[in-house]
Amino acid sequence: LLALCGLLGMTWLFPVTARALYRRQISRNDRPGGSPSPLPPALRKELVIGVIIPAHNEDASIGSTLISIKLAAQKMYAMTDKVKLRVTVGADGCADQTVKIAESKGAKVVQFSNRQGKWKTIKTLIERHADCDWLAIVDAGVIWSEDFLLKALPLCAARDIMAIAPTYQNTTGGWLEHLIWNIERHLK
């Protein structure tokens, strides 16, 4: 049941969040046109991508997630200096080492002393990143490939794209979780 709720939440989270941000994104007339090349030549201005990670007692996985984001950023920075990442972890009532680990990996941490839940944490982090051109909502435990940002940049530069919902698989889950992620990957 928990895995099914997760599937429905993630399957609907990205489109709903994108729709909520649609008016802000579409009203920006300075977004460059798209290009299928690895780095869009139309990126003439700096593009700011906010990476938000809601976390509740995720000390076992937050470090790996942040390292993968850092490696993807390093590969991207080797190709362009026109994109900046702002990585923020929303520590939702954490009683473990999540905050310490996230800070040690270079992420900004917003702490919520009382647990407020994943969706309210995401909403608060989105509001704090309203000045970003794009937002990436990442679950703790997700590992980005080193070329993820290079693949995403052309999509971020395209005027007709308002959301990107990458598919990933939790490699530490059980058989039911693997089945659910395979179904979600097929649906996307």
Side-chain angles (χ1 to χ4, degrees):
L1 180 62
L2 183 60
L4 181 58
C5 290
L7 171 66
L8 292 175
M10 291 311 292
T11 301
W12 292 100
L13 167 68
F14 292 110
V16 169
T17 302
R19 183 70 180 159
L21 297 173
Y22 178 71
R23 293 182 196 271
R24 182 176 65 87
Q25 292 295 336
I26 202 70
S27 67
R28 294 185 178 193
N29 57 10
D30 60 348
R31 184 167 310 280
S35 168
S37 68
L39 289 177
L43 279 177
R44 292 186 188 93
K45 71 170 194 84
E46 184 174 283
L47 184 70
V48 180
I49 301 174
V51 179
I52 60 176
I53 307 169
H56 173 70
N57 293 339
E58 299 283 357
D59 63 358
S61 60
I62 194 71
S64 298
T65 297
L66 291 169
I67 289 170
S68 74
I69 292 169
K70 186 174 187 175
L71 291 173
Q74 288 172 348
K75 189 162 189 160
M76 178 191 64
Y77 291 144
M79 301 292 288
T80 183
D81 62 350
K82 296 287 186 184
V83 181
K84 302 295 180 207
L85 288 186
R86 286 180 31 203
V87 180
T88 306
V89 173
D92 186 20
C94 294
D96 63 358
Q97 298 296 311
T98 299
V99 172
K100 182 179 176 184
I101 293 169
E103 289 175 339
S104 74
K105 302 298 180 196
K108 178 181 178 189
V109 178
V110 176
Q111 293 187 56
F112 303 96
S113 56
N114 296 323
R115 186 159 187 214
Q116 59 181 5
K118 183 175 188 174
W119 303 112
K120 192 169 182 182
T121 300
I122 290 171
K123 179 182 180 290
T124 302
L125 294 176
I126 288 172
E127 290 168 352
R128 291 182 181 214
H129 287 78
D131 60 328
C132 292
D133 297 294
W134 276 88
L135 290 176
I137 303 170
V138 181
D139 276 338
V142 170
I143 305 299
W144 282 7
S145 63
E146 287 188 21
D147 62 349
F148 174 76
L149 288 168
L150 290 176
K151 289 179 179 178
L153 281 179
L155 301 173
C156 293
R159 292 182 157 216
D160 57 340
I161 295 177
M162 64 182 217
I164 304 167
T167 300
Y168 59 89
Q169 185 167 352
N170 181 348
T171 57
T172 61
W175 70 269
L176 181 59
E177 189 169 356
H178 285 273
L179 175 65
I180 290 171
W181 284 116
N182 284 330
I183 292 169
E184 179 180 348
R185 183 177 29 224
H186 178 71
L187 293 173
K188 287 184 180 177

